[in-house]
Amino acid sequence: MSEEELDLNNPNVQPLPEGGWSERIVTLSDAVVVPPDESAFVQPAGILSSDGAYCPEGALWRKFRPLTTEPAMPKKKPTKLSGRWLWGGVLWAHFGHFLVESTARLWALDHIDGPIDGILFMPKRPKVGDAVRGFHRAFIDLMAPGMPIRVTTDPTMVDELIVPGQGFGLGKITEGTQKFRDAIHNRFASEIEPDGASKIYISRSALGVGKGGLLGEERLEDLLIKQGYDIFHPEKYDLKTQLARYKAAKHVVAADGSALHLFAMVGQPDQKVAMILRRKAGANNLLAANVEHFTGSEPIIIDALHTEWVRSTKGKSNRQSFGELNHKIIGRTLADEGFVDPGVDWEPLTDKQRKKLFLDKGLGDTGEFVESPEYAQRRIRRVRQERRARRAAREAVQSS
């Protein structure tokens, strides 16, 4: 690691949970906000000072690189915005990315002296324009009730712009800085009382397998209902109801996803969490770190994908791919960790059950999909390891 990377105060390296520039506030007079003019993963967009100098503290970072890079000074005179505004950064239309990347500067609400006129964002996608969605408004109201939200789609000169560092996001910063976590714990949803079941399964089954769902998830729900769990589909409820349910639960089982980012913001150390993986990706480790550092409770990670199914015409993982659960592994792990009754024996899907699920979900015959070669090999290795372990156990008993 280079000396530059070790400098927490250098805004040209990724934000880190230990602090440094990610917990620093820069205030600019006559700042020029330049929103993106093209839809791309990495975009020239951000903040310039009145003399054209780039303000790197205003960039959105993901892992090791900024997704917004230094823009050119606009040729046309910027629109004037009077008042004192807090820089919110990029406003994502996707709920999960909004939670993790559009809230990253709200920690500064605990550190600003005097009133502000609102929070200023720019859109991730220019075609979205200045739209503020219902969940944007609801979340901000749970942090700062009634705080105005403005989304600028044209270059704008702001009288006074308060630019906090990025205190949250994807990458090492997923743990959140201490100031960010403190602000969330001090402010977010503080008036919402716990309301709901003591055991919940946060489900993705209503979204369909094409949106990160899992083959066999409905069967898992039936098994958990028998263990006293309430099945909760968060997308069917408003934000306040979701948070009330999360506050009430003492045992939380969930497929990894956006809902756990929200849970982490209100979770407590005495809540037990089990996270069932639905994909093989580094995002799983980041999500686990997010839950642990925000709640003080280390989640149980259950790697129970029997396999991944991919389109036979593609042959590799993509957005149409989906995982299949191994209920035996899930049941055994949940039992070992005290989430369900000891000794439960949940069987994986049979070929007949799998074929019926494919047809019921409109996926066609199983011939339209093939097992991901990586998962097929991984599953074969696991079966062999379990066989060897059973053989070793028998031999140990015989020799004793």
Side-chain angles (χ1 to χ4, degrees):
M1 182 176 289
S2 70
E3 186 175 332
E4 181 184 55
E5 289 174 318
L6 291 172
D7 184 0
L8 296 177
N9 290 307
N10 186 348
N12 295 305
V13 298
Q14 65 176 307
L16 295 169
E18 292 82 2
W21 78 266
S22 56
E23 290 191 318
R24 187 168 68 215
I25 294 176
V26 175
T27 301
L28 301 175
S29 298
D30 293 332
V32 178
V33 175
V34 184
D37 59 10
E38 60 180 19
S39 185
F41 184 63
V42 178
Q43 301 159 299
I47 304 168
L48 303 174
S49 65
S50 57
D51 63 1
Y54 181 52
C55 176
E57 289 87 352
L60 168 62
W61 283 74
R62 185 178 293 177
K63 297 184 179 178
F64 52 84
R65 64 174 172 176
L67 299 191
T68 56
T69 57
E70 181 175 353
M73 179 64 84
K75 295 179 180 178
K76 193 170 72 171
K77 185 177 180 181
T79 302
K80 183 72 173 175
L81 178 61
S82 300
R84 189 173 187 238
W85 293 80
L86 173 65
W87 176 238
V90 174
L91 187 65
W92 284 86
H94 181 281
F95 180 65
H97 284 290
F98 166 78
L99 282 181
V100 181
E101 296 181 307
S102 300
T103 66
R105 302 171 196 277
L106 298 182
W107 63 268
L109 291 168
D110 270 2
H111 300 273
I112 298 173
D113 293 325
I116 58 174
D117 292 288
I119 304 170
L120 181 64
F121 291 95
M122 62 183 178
K124 172 60 180 173
R125 308 294 181 193
K127 67 179 181 181
V128 173
D130 61 358
V132 175
R133 285 168 166 72
F135 65 81
H136 296 151
R137 182 69 265 171
F139 187 99
I140 298 298
D141 279 343
L142 290 167
M143 278 292 286
M147 178 67 68
I149 302 171
R150 188 180 182 110
V151 184
T152 182
T153 57
D154 296 306
T156 303
M157 178 175 283
V158 187
D159 277 352
E160 184 178 347
L161 187 64
I162 301 167
V163 185
Q166 183 179 328
F168 192 33
L170 293 174
K172 293 181 179 179
I173 197 66
T174 301
E175 297 177 8
T177 64
Q178 187 65 54
K179 286 184 178 179
F180 182 86
R181 295 196 303 268
D182 288 348
I184 291 294
H185 294 154
N186 291 341
R187 289 174 166 268
F188 184 63
S190 59
E191 301 299 319
I192 293 180
E193 294 296 325
D195 181 19
S198 64
K199 296 181 178 182
I200 63 169
Y201 173 66
I202 305 174
S203 175
R204 298 180 64 89
S205 65
L207 299 174
V209 293
K211 292 187 176 180
L214 292 159
L215 198 69
E217 189 171 19
E218 292 91 341
R219 184 161 180 266
L220 173 61
E221 293 172 1
D222 292 340
L223 293 167
L224 286 170
I225 287 171
K226 293 176 182 178
Q227 293 290 323
Y229 280 79
D230 182 66
I231 308 305
F232 186 64
H233 297 94
E235 70 277 7
K236 297 181 179 181
Y237 299 88
D238 63 25
L239 209 56
K240 289 184 178 180
T241 303
Q242 293 177 47
L243 293 163
R245 295 289 191 274
Y246 298 160
K247 285 188 174 187
K250 295 303 179 185
H251 287 79
V252 178
V253 181
D256 70 82
S258 302
L260 281 174
H261 286 305
L262 185 62
F263 166 80
M265 291 182 172
V266 295
Q268 298 295 317
D270 63 344
Q271 293 176 288
K272 296 187 67 175
V273 183
M275 183 175 81
I276 299 171
L277 303 188
R278 60 187 173 88
R279 56 196 168 180
K280 184 181 180 183
N284 300 322
N285 295 329
L286 296 180
L287 181 53
N290 174 210
V291 173
E292 179 179 358
H293 283 82
F294 276 68
T295 68
S297 175
E298 183 178 359
I300 305 303
I301 300 175
I302 304 177
D303 183 358
L305 282 183
H306 175 72
T307 192
E308 182 183 29
W309 292 93
V310 300
R311 284 279 181 187
S312 55
T313 54
K314 301 292 184 182
K316 62 181 181 179
S317 182
N318 61 18
R319 291 184 179 181
Q320 294 179 317
S321 307
F322 53 90
E324 177 184 331
L325 293 174
N326 185 323
H327 301 87
K328 181 178 283 291
I329 293 174
I330 296 172
R332 186 170 61 213
T333 307
L334 290 178
D336 290 345
E337 299 294 340
F339 284 80
V340 298
D341 293 338
V344 297
D345 189 14
W346 297 346
E347 291 301 319
L349 294 175
T350 64
D351 290 342
K352 184 177 179 180
Q353 290 170 331
R354 183 181 302 109
K355 187 171 183 178
K356 185 176 187 304
L357 280 175
F358 269 67
L359 294 173
D360 290 347
K361 293 180 178 296
L363 298 169
D365 199 344
T366 50
E368 295 184 28
F369 289 84
V370 295
E371 282 193 85
S372 161
E374 179 183 1
Y375 271 95
Q377 293 169 8
R378 181 182 175 202
R379 181 168 53 82
I380 291 169
R381 285 196 300 271
R382 177 183 285 165
V383 170
R384 288 174 176 168
Q385 288 169 354
E386 290 177 349
R387 188 183 298 134
R388 285 196 293 268
R390 289 195 298 271
R391 186 186 305 122
R394 286 196 302 269
E395 291 173 352
V397 170
Q398 292 170 358
S399 63
S400 61

